[in-house]
Amino acid sequence: AYLSMMAYMFMAVGGGIGLIWRMKLAHAVGAAAAPLGAAFCFLALVTGSIWGRPMWGTWWEWGDPRLTSELIMLFLYFGYMALRGAIDDTAKADKASAVLALVGAVNVPIIHFSVEWWSSLHQGPTIIKEGGPAMDPAMLYPLLAMILGFTLVFGALLLQRVRAEVLFRERRTKWVKEMVLAGGSP
């Protein structure tokens, strides 16, 4: 779930940088991060639902603010990708999707702080809290290792997707045509 929020912030920051400084690479980062974020968001919702059934006695609880706001984030991802796909002009798609990403970024702190703001099924902060983590080291260290591992996987996938996005955007340029003909990579 944290990767879905991180990916959305990549989209929002990339969209903001792209709108303010007109950097095409920033828009490419946002476009590349969207499918990854959507995948991690979907996985968080599905695996959370599977975990929630034996723990809470239900697959889904509409009254839980974290569940509902995470589902809204998934819809924001779908909307972002649909908006990009619906506009043929890349520059216009960049601008429109950047605005959507910036507006939708309001949901990220809602997801993060929902367990502190409202009483829900979810427990409060466990790792980052005043007084240190509230987890036994036997569970904390493997969790931190997994967080690091999945963050590195996300970073590697994002770099590959950004590369592909840049090549797609520049497909009609001389340098890309020469690279393809030479059989090399940038």
Coordinates of all heavy atoms in Angstrom, one line a residue, residues 85-161:
G85 N -4.9 8.0 -22.1 CA -5.2 7.2 -23.3 C -6.2 7.8 -24.2 O -6.3 7.6 -25.4
A86 N -7.1 8.7 -23.7 CA -8.2 9.3 -24.4 C -7.8 10.5 -25.2 O -8.5 10.9 -26.2 CB -9.3 9.7 -23.5
I87 N -6.6 11.1 -24.9 CA -6.1 12.3 -25.6 C -5.0 11.9 -26.5 O -3.9 11.4 -26.0 CB -5.7 13.4 -24.6 CG1 -6.9 13.7 -23.7 CG2 -5.2 14.6 -25.3 CD1 -6.6 14.6 -22.5
D88 N -5.1 12.1 -27.8 CA -4.1 11.7 -28.8 C -2.8 12.6 -28.7 O -1.7 12.1 -28.9 CB -4.6 11.7 -30.2 CG -5.6 10.6 -30.4 OD1 -5.5 9.5 -29.7 OD2 -6.6 10.8 -31.2
D89 N -3.0 13.9 -28.5 CA -1.9 14.8 -28.4 C -1.2 14.6 -27.1 O -1.8 14.9 -26.0 CB -2.4 16.2 -28.5 CG -1.3 17.3 -28.5 OD1 -0.1 16.9 -28.5 OD2 -1.7 18.5 -28.5
T90 N 0.1 14.2 -27.1 CA 0.8 13.9 -25.9 C 1.0 15.1 -25.0 O 0.8 15.0 -23.8 CB 2.2 13.4 -26.3 OG1 2.1 12.3 -27.1 CG2 3.0 13.0 -25.0
A91 N 1.2 16.3 -25.5 CA 1.3 17.5 -24.7 C 0.0 17.8 -24.0 O 0.0 18.2 -22.8 CB 1.7 18.7 -25.6
K92 N -1.1 17.7 -24.6 CA -2.4 17.9 -24.0 C -2.7 16.8 -22.9 O -3.2 17.1 -21.9 CB -3.5 18.0 -25.0 CG -3.5 19.2 -25.9 CD -4.7 19.2 -26.9 CE -4.6 20.5 -27.7 NZ -5.6 20.5 -28.7
A93 N -2.3 15.6 -23.3 CA -2.5 14.5 -22.3 C -1.7 14.7 -21.1 O -2.1 14.4 -20.0 CB -2.2 13.1 -23.0
D94 N -0.4 15.2 -21.3 CA 0.5 15.5 -20.2 C -0.2 16.5 -19.2 O -0.2 16.3 -18.0 CB 1.8 16.0 -20.7 CG 2.7 14.9 -21.2 OD1 2.4 13.7 -21.0 OD2 3.7 15.3 -22.0
K95 N -0.7 17.6 -19.8 CA -1.2 18.6 -19.0 C -2.5 18.2 -18.2 O -2.6 18.4 -17.0 CB -1.6 19.9 -19.8 CG -0.3 20.6 -20.3 CD -0.7 21.8 -21.2 CE 0.5 22.4 -21.8 NZ 0.2 23.4 -22.8
A96 N -3.4 17.5 -18.9 CA -4.7 17.1 -18.3 C -4.4 16.1 -17.2 O -5.0 16.2 -16.1 CB -5.6 16.5 -19.4
S97 N -3.5 15.1 -17.5 CA -3.3 14.1 -16.5 C -2.5 14.6 -15.3 O -2.7 14.2 -14.2 CB -2.6 12.9 -17.1 OG -1.4 13.3 -17.7
A98 N -1.6 15.6 -15.6 CA -0.9 16.3 -14.5 C -1.9 17.0 -13.5 O -1.7 16.9 -12.3 CB 0.1 17.2 -15.0
V99 N -2.9 17.6 -14.0 CA -3.8 18.3 -13.2 C -4.6 17.3 -12.4 O -4.8 17.4 -11.2 CB -4.8 19.2 -14.0 CG1 -6.0 19.7 -13.2 CG2 -4.0 20.3 -14.7
L100 N -5.0 16.2 -13.0 CA -5.7 15.1 -12.3 C -4.8 14.5 -11.2 O -5.3 14.3 -10.0 CB -6.2 14.0 -13.2 CG -6.9 12.8 -12.5 CD1 -8.1 13.2 -11.8 CD2 -7.2 11.7 -13.6
A101 N -3.5 14.3 -11.5 CA -2.6 13.8 -10.5 C -2.5 14.7 -9.3 O -2.4 14.3 -8.1 CB -1.3 13.4 -11.1
L102 N -2.4 16.0 -9.6 CA -2.2 17.0 -8.5 C -3.4 17.1 -7.6 O -3.3 17.1 -6.4 CB -1.9 18.4 -9.1 CG -0.4 18.5 -9.7 CD1 -0.3 19.7 -10.5 CD2 0.6 18.5 -8.5
V103 N -4.6 17.1 -8.2 CA -5.9 17.1 -7.5 C -6.0 15.8 -6.7 O -6.4 15.9 -5.5 CB -7.1 17.3 -8.4 CG1 -8.4 17.2 -7.7 CG2 -7.0 18.7 -9.0
G104 N -5.7 14.7 -7.3 CA -5.8 13.4 -6.6 C -4.9 13.2 -5.4 O -5.1 12.4 -4.6
A105 N -3.8 14.0 -5.4 CA -2.7 13.8 -4.4 C -3.3 14.2 -3.0 O -2.7 13.8 -2.0 CB -1.5 14.7 -4.7
V106 N -4.4 14.9 -3.0 CA -5.1 15.2 -1.7 C -5.4 13.9 -1.0 O -5.4 13.8 0.3 CB -6.3 16.0 -1.9 CG1 -7.2 16.1 -0.7 CG2 -5.9 17.4 -2.4
N107 N -5.7 12.8 -1.7 CA -6.0 11.5 -1.1 C -4.9 10.8 -0.4 O -5.1 10.0 0.5 CB -6.6 10.6 -2.2 CG -7.3 9.4 -1.7 OD1 -8.0 9.5 -0.7 ND2 -7.1 8.3 -2.4
V108 N -3.6 11.1 -0.8 CA -2.5 10.4 -0.2 C -2.4 10.7 1.4 O -2.3 9.7 2.1 CB -1.2 10.8 -0.9 CG1 0.0 10.2 -0.2 CG2 -1.3 10.2 -2.3
P109 N -2.4 11.9 1.8 CA -2.4 12.1 3.3 C -3.7 11.6 4.0 O -3.6 11.2 5.1 CB -2.2 13.6 3.5 CG -2.5 14.2 2.2 CD -2.3 13.2 1.1
I110 N -4.8 11.6 3.3 CA -6.0 11.0 3.9 C -5.8 9.5 4.1 O -6.1 9.0 5.2 CB -7.2 11.2 2.9 CG1 -7.6 12.7 2.9 CG2 -8.4 10.4 3.4 CD1 -8.6 13.1 1.9
I111 N -5.2 8.8 3.2 CA -4.9 7.4 3.3 C -3.9 7.2 4.5 O -4.2 6.4 5.4 CB -4.4 6.7 2.1 CG1 -5.4 6.7 0.9 CG2 -3.9 5.3 2.3 CD1 -4.8 6.4 -0.4
H112 N -2.9 8.0 4.5 CA -1.8 7.8 5.5 C -2.3 8.1 6.9 O -2.0 7.3 7.8 CB -0.6 8.7 5.1 CG 0.5 8.6 6.1 ND1 1.3 7.4 6.1 CD2 0.9 9.4 7.1 CE1 2.2 7.6 7.1 NE2 2.0 8.8 7.7
F113 N -3.0 9.2 7.1 CA -3.4 9.6 8.4 C -4.8 9.1 8.9 O -5.2 9.4 10.0 CB -3.3 11.1 8.6 CG -1.9 11.6 8.5 CD1 -1.5 12.4 7.4 CD2 -1.0 11.4 9.5 CE1 -0.3 12.9 7.3 CE2 0.2 11.9 9.5 CZ 0.6 12.6 8.3
S114 N -5.4 8.3 8.0 CA -6.8 7.9 8.3 C -6.9 7.1 9.6 O -7.9 7.2 10.4 CB -7.4 7.0 7.2 OG -6.6 5.8 7.0
V115 N -5.9 6.3 9.9 CA -5.9 5.5 11.2 C -5.7 6.4 12.4 O -6.1 6.0 13.5 CB -4.9 4.4 11.2 CG1 -5.2 3.4 10.1 CG2 -3.5 4.9 11.0
E116 N -5.2 7.6 12.2 CA -5.0 8.5 13.4 C -6.3 9.4 13.5 O -6.6 9.8 14.6 CB -3.8 9.3 13.2 CG -2.5 8.5 13.3 CD -1.3 9.3 13.0 OE1 -1.3 10.6 13.1 OE2 -0.2 8.7 12.6
W117 N -6.8 9.8 12.4 CA -8.0 10.7 12.4 C -9.3 10.0 12.7 O -10.1 10.7 13.3 CB -8.1 11.4 11.0 CG -7.0 12.3 10.6 CD1 -6.0 12.8 11.5 CD2 -6.6 12.7 9.3 NE1 -5.2 13.6 10.8 CE2 -5.5 13.6 9.4 CE3 -7.2 12.5 8.1 CZ2 -4.9 14.2 8.4 CZ3 -6.6 13.2 7.0 CH2 -5.5 14.0 7.1
W118 N -9.5 8.8 12.3 CA -10.8 8.1 12.6 C -10.5 6.8 13.2 O -9.5 6.1 12.9 CB -11.5 7.9 11.3 CG -11.8 9.2 10.6 CD1 -12.7 10.1 10.9 CD2 -11.2 9.7 9.3 NE1 -12.7 11.2 10.0 CE2 -11.8 10.9 9.0 CE3 -10.2 9.2 8.5 CZ2 -11.5 11.6 7.9 CZ3 -9.9 9.9 7.4 CH2 -10.5 11.1 7.1
S119 N -11.5 6.3 14.0 CA -11.4 5.0 14.6 C -11.9 4.0 13.5 O -12.9 4.2 12.9 CB -12.4 4.9 15.8 OG -12.4 3.6 16.3
S120 N -11.1 3.0 13.2 CA -11.4 2.0 12.2 C -10.9 0.7 12.5 O -10.3 0.4 13.6 CB -10.8 2.5 10.9 OG -9.4 2.4 10.9
L121 N -11.0 -0.2 11.6 CA -10.5 -1.6 11.8 C -9.0 -1.7 11.8 O -8.4 -2.5 12.4 CB -11.0 -2.5 10.6 CG -12.6 -2.7 10.5 CD1 -12.9 -3.5 9.3 CD2 -13.0 -3.5 11.7
H122 N -8.4 -0.7 11.1 CA -6.9 -0.7 11.0 C -6.3 -0.3 12.3 O -6.9 0.6 12.9 CB -6.5 0.2 9.8 CG -6.6 -0.4 8.5 ND1 -7.7 -0.4 7.7 CD2 -5.6 -1.1 7.8 CE1 -7.5 -1.0 6.6 NE2 -6.2 -1.4 6.6
Q123 N -5.2 -0.9 12.6 CA -4.5 -0.4 13.8 C -3.8 0.9 13.5 O -3.6 1.3 12.3 CB -3.4 -1.5 14.2 CG -2.3 -1.6 13.2 CD -1.4 -2.8 13.5 OE1 -1.9 -3.8 13.9 NE2 -0.1 -2.6 13.3
G124 N -3.3 1.6 14.5 CA -2.6 2.8 14.4 C -1.2 2.6 13.9 O -0.8 1.4 13.6
P125 N -0.4 3.6 13.8 CA 1.0 3.5 13.4 C 1.8 2.4 14.2 O 1.6 2.4 15.4 CB 1.6 4.9 13.6 CG 0.4 5.8 13.6 CD -0.7 5.0 14.2
T126 N 2.6 1.6 13.5 CA 3.3 0.6 14.2 C 4.8 0.8 14.1 O 5.6 0.6 15.0 CB 3.0 -0.8 13.7 OG1 1.5 -0.9 13.8 CG2 3.6 -1.9 14.4
I127 N 5.3 1.2 12.9 CA 6.7 1.3 12.6 C 7.2 2.7 13.0 O 8.2 2.9 13.7 CB 7.0 1.0 11.2 CG1 6.6 -0.5 10.9 CG2 8.5 1.1 10.9 CD1 6.7 -0.9 9.4
I128 N 6.6 3.7 12.4 CA 7.1 5.1 12.6 C 6.1 5.7 13.6 O 5.0 6.2 13.2 CB 7.1 5.9 11.3 CG1 8.0 5.2 10.3 CG2 7.5 7.3 11.6 CD1 8.0 5.8 8.9
K129 N 6.5 5.8 14.9 CA 5.7 6.4 15.9 C 6.6 6.9 17.0 O 7.7 6.4 17.1 CB 4.6 5.4 16.4 CG 5.2 4.1 17.0 CD 4.1 3.2 17.5 CE 4.0 3.4 19.0 NZ 2.9 2.7 19.6
E130 N 6.0 7.7 17.8 CA 6.8 8.3 18.9 C 7.1 7.1 19.9 O 6.3 6.3 20.2 CB 5.9 9.3 19.7 CG 6.7 10.2 20.6 CD 5.9 11.3 21.2 OE1 5.1 11.9 20.5 OE2 5.9 11.5 22.4
G131 N 8.4 7.1 20.3 CA 8.8 6.0 21.2 C 9.4 4.8 20.5 O 9.8 3.9 21.1
G132 N 9.4 4.9 19.2 CA 10.0 3.8 18.4 C 9.0 2.8 17.9 O 7.8 2.8 18.3
P133 N 9.4 1.8 17.1 CA 8.5 0.8 16.6 C 7.8 0.0 17.7 O 8.5 -0.3 18.7 CB 9.4 0.0 15.7 CG 10.6 0.8 15.4 CD 10.8 1.7 16.6
A134 N 6.6 -0.4 17.4 CA 5.8 -1.2 18.4 C 5.8 -2.7 18.0 O 4.9 -3.4 18.3 CB 4.4 -0.7 18.5
M135 N 6.8 -3.1 17.2 CA 6.9 -4.5 16.7 C 8.0 -5.2 17.4 O 9.1 -4.6 17.6 CB 7.0 -4.5 15.2 CG 5.9 -4.0 14.4 SD 6.2 -4.1 12.7 CE 5.9 -5.9 12.4
D136 N 7.9 -6.5 17.5 CA 9.0 -7.3 18.0 C 10.1 -7.3 16.9 O 9.7 -7.4 15.7 CB 8.5 -8.7 18.2 CG 9.6 -9.6 18.8 OD1 9.8 -9.5 20.0 OD2 10.1 -10.4 18.0
P137 N 11.3 -7.3 17.2 CA 12.4 -7.3 16.2 C 12.3 -8.5 15.3 O 12.7 -8.4 14.1 CB 13.7 -7.3 17.0 CG 13.3 -6.6 18.3 CD 11.9 -7.0 18.6
A138 N 11.8 -9.6 15.8 CA 11.7 -10.8 14.9 C 10.8 -10.6 13.7 O 10.9 -11.2 12.7 CB 11.2 -12.0 15.7
M139 N 9.8 -9.6 13.9 CA 8.9 -9.3 12.8 C 9.3 -8.0 12.1 O 9.1 -7.8 10.9 CB 7.5 -9.2 13.3 CG 6.9 -10.5 13.7 SD 5.2 -10.3 14.3 CE 4.4 -9.9 12.8
L140 N 9.9 -7.1 12.9 CA 10.3 -5.8 12.3 C 11.4 -5.8 11.3 O 11.2 -5.3 10.2 CB 10.7 -4.8 13.5 CG 11.2 -3.4 13.1 CD1 10.1 -2.7 12.4 CD2 11.8 -2.7 14.3
Y141 N 12.4 -6.6 11.5 CA 13.6 -6.6 10.6 C 13.2 -7.3 9.3 O 13.6 -6.8 8.2 CB 14.8 -7.3 11.2 CG 15.3 -6.4 12.4 CD1 15.6 -7.0 13.6 CD2 15.5 -5.0 12.3 CE1 16.0 -6.2 14.7 CE2 15.9 -4.3 13.4 CZ 16.2 -4.9 14.6 OH 16.6 -4.1 15.6
P142 N 12.5 -8.4 9.3 CA 12.1 -9.0 8.0 C 11.1 -8.0 7.2 O 11.2 -7.9 6.0 CB 11.3 -10.3 8.3 CG 11.9 -10.6 9.7 CD 12.2 -9.4 10.4
L143 N 10.2 -7.3 8.0 CA 9.3 -6.3 7.3 C 10.2 -5.2 6.7 O 9.9 -4.8 5.5 CB 8.4 -5.8 8.3 CG 7.4 -4.7 7.8 CD1 6.5 -5.2 6.7 CD2 6.6 -4.1 9.0
L144 N 11.1 -4.7 7.4 CA 12.0 -3.6 6.8 C 12.7 -4.1 5.6 O 12.9 -3.4 4.6 CB 12.9 -3.1 7.9 CG 12.2 -2.3 9.1 CD1 13.3 -1.9 10.1 CD2 11.5 -1.1 8.6
A145 N 13.2 -5.4 5.7 CA 13.9 -5.9 4.5 C 13.0 -6.0 3.3 O 13.4 -5.8 2.2 CB 14.5 -7.3 4.9
M146 N 11.7 -6.5 3.5 CA 10.7 -6.5 2.5 C 10.4 -5.2 1.9 O 10.2 -5.0 0.7 CB 9.5 -7.3 2.9 CG 9.7 -8.7 3.2 SD 10.4 -9.6 1.8 CE 9.1 -9.5 0.7
I147 N 10.3 -4.2 2.8 CA 10.0 -2.8 2.3 C 11.1 -2.3 1.4 O 10.9 -1.8 0.4 CB 9.8 -1.9 3.5 CG1 8.5 -2.2 4.2 CG2 9.9 -0.4 3.1 CD1 8.3 -1.4 5.5
L148 N 12.4 -2.6 1.9 CA 13.5 -2.2 1.0 C 13.5 -2.9 -0.3 O 13.7 -2.3 -1.4 CB 14.8 -2.4 1.8 CG 16.1 -2.2 1.0 CD1 16.2 -0.7 0.6 CD2 17.3 -2.6 1.7
G149 N 13.3 -4.2 -0.3 CA 13.3 -5.0 -1.5 C 12.2 -4.6 -2.5 O 12.5 -4.4 -3.6
F150 N 11.0 -4.4 -2.0 CA 9.9 -4.0 -2.9 C 10.1 -2.6 -3.4 O 9.7 -2.3 -4.5 CB 8.5 -4.1 -2.2 CG 7.9 -5.5 -2.3 CD1 8.0 -6.4 -1.3 CD2 7.3 -5.9 -3.5 CE1 7.5 -7.6 -1.4 CE2 6.8 -7.2 -3.6 CZ 6.9 -8.0 -2.6
T151 N 10.7 -1.7 -2.6 CA 11.0 -0.4 -3.1 C 12.1 -0.4 -4.2 O 11.9 0.3 -5.2 CB 11.5 0.5 -1.9 OG1 10.5 0.5 -0.9 CG2 11.8 1.9 -2.4
L152 N 13.1 -1.3 -4.0 CA 14.1 -1.5 -5.1 C 13.4 -2.1 -6.4 O 13.8 -1.6 -7.5 CB 15.2 -2.3 -4.6 CG 16.1 -1.7 -3.5 CD1 17.1 -2.7 -3.0 CD2 16.8 -0.4 -4.0
V153 N 12.5 -3.0 -6.2 CA 11.8 -3.6 -7.4 C 11.0 -2.5 -8.1 O 11.1 -2.4 -9.3 CB 10.9 -4.8 -6.9 CG1 10.0 -5.1 -8.1 CG2 11.8 -6.0 -6.6
F154 N 10.3 -1.7 -7.3 CA 9.5 -0.6 -7.8 C 10.5 0.4 -8.6 O 10.2 0.8 -9.7 CB 8.8 0.2 -6.8 CG 8.1 1.4 -7.2 CD1 6.9 1.4 -7.9 CD2 8.7 2.7 -7.0 CE1 6.3 2.5 -8.4 CE2 8.1 3.8 -7.5 CZ 6.9 3.8 -8.2
G155 N 11.6 0.7 -8.0 CA 12.5 1.6 -8.7 C 13.1 1.1 -10.0 O 13.1 1.8 -11.0
A156 N 13.4 -0.2 -10.0 CA 13.9 -0.8 -11.2 C 12.8 -0.9 -12.3 O 13.1 -0.6 -13.5 CB 14.4 -2.3 -10.9
L157 N 11.6 -1.2 -11.9 CA 10.5 -1.2 -12.9 C 10.2 0.2 -13.4 O 9.9 0.3 -14.6 CB 9.2 -1.9 -12.2 CG 9.3 -3.4 -11.9 CD1 8.1 -3.8 -11.1 CD2 9.4 -4.2 -13.2
L158 N 10.2 1.1 -12.5 CA 10.0 2.5 -12.9 C 11.0 3.0 -13.9 O 10.7 3.6 -14.9 CB 9.9 3.4 -11.7 CG 9.6 4.9 -12.0 CD1 8.2 5.0 -12.6 CD2 9.7 5.8 -10.7
L159 N 12.3 2.7 -13.6 CA 13.3 3.1 -14.6 C 13.1 2.5 -16.0 O 13.3 3.2 -17.0 CB 14.7 2.8 -14.0 CG 15.2 3.6 -12.9 CD1 16.5 3.1 -12.3 CD2 15.3 5.1 -13.2
Q160 N 12.8 1.2 -16.0 CA 12.5 0.6 -17.3 C 11.3 1.2 -18.0 O 11.3 1.4 -19.2 CB 12.3 -0.9 -17.1 CG 13.5 -1.7 -16.7 CD 14.5 -1.7 -17.8 OE1 14.2 -1.8 -19.0 NE2 15.8 -1.4 -17.5
R161 N 10.3 1.5 -17.2 CA 9.1 2.1 -17.8 C 9.3 3.5 -18.3 O 8.8 3.9 -19.3 CB 7.9 2.0 -16.9 CG 7.4 0.6 -16.6 CD 6.0 0.6 -16.0 NE 5.1 1.5 -16.6 CZ 4.4 1.2 -17.7 NH1 4.5 0.1 -18.3 NH2 3.5 2.1 -18.2

